[in-house]
Amino acid sequence: MKILLFGYNYQGIRLTQVHNVLQLLSRMPVSLAAHRSFYERLSRDLPDVCRAIEAIDCCGDYEADMALSIGGDGTFLRAAEKIGDRGIPVLGVNIGRLGFLADVPAEETESVMSEILAGRYRIEERSLLQVDLPQRPDGFWPYALNEVAVLKQDTSSMISIHTTVGDSFLNTYQADGLIVATPTGSTAYSMSVGGPILMPQAANWVISPVAPHSLTIRPLVVNDNTDIALRVDSRSHSYLLSVDGRSIMLDTDIQVVLRKAPFTVKVVKRLGHSFAETLRAKLMWGVDKRE
């Protein structure tokens, strides 16, 4: 099995966890490769494990059976970006904090990898949002596994987000911003502003305002087969567009159109582990604290 490694800078106990994971993988019947930037960090901080890892300049030229994201959910999102539409399944090993996407604890890597090598795993396909702009900046990947957000640029005044769903005008949101989240992203930024949680395979998006200037505005679930058009008014004549945390500045004369991407991200999941179990473990779903 060929495995493509993704990760970033680590310090302290997390660096030790990365070392343990890579040492474990080096003893398994797999071949390992890492993007050169990650390989260079490993060669600097963990030179002993690099002997078992190939450095590659562009992951698009490397054929892999699986990608391994070592870190938190942010690392997983960057791995999904690098993989793009190539269909390589991604397994997330968590050495971050909460970890909804990276849901395999580092200490369970050996048992999970043994199950994978024995063929005991399943693949979930996660939908993405596609961002359409009149002109796309160089190097900008226009897809989001979690969410797309339009946000105010300055700290003093709210923005107006004129929102159309399909052929119907929905609302003008007077707010600090507006989030459009995928089912995967419903447990991320959208949840933090009061948006509902969706099951990962739901065919929906969630539209959630950020600090709306009205008590009558609530998050809304819409079908994912309709386009969502966002036009922004702002005193500064500009706003931020955030795509899974990758932000660019846009002028208010630029309209953003969101639609379902023509491909999915494949996520490796253990057999017998469900999203409901993740909710209970990560969010203490249904825990009764009464004495």
Side-chain angles (χ1 to χ4, degrees), residues 161-187:
I161 308 112
H162 309 286
T163 305
T164 301
V165 177
D167 296 327
S168 301
F169 172 71
L170 176 63
N171 185 47
T172 294
Y173 293 89
Q174 306 281 346
D176 285 356
L178 190 70
I179 302 164
V180 180
T182 68
T184 298
S186 69
T187 54

Side-chain angles (χ1 to χ4, degrees), residues 17 69-73 92-99 102-106 282:
Q17 289 175 315
S69 167
I70 307 173
D73 285 353
V93 174
N94 185 26
I95 59 169
R97 291 185 288 272
L98 196 60
D103 61 351
V104 175
K282 302 294 185 179

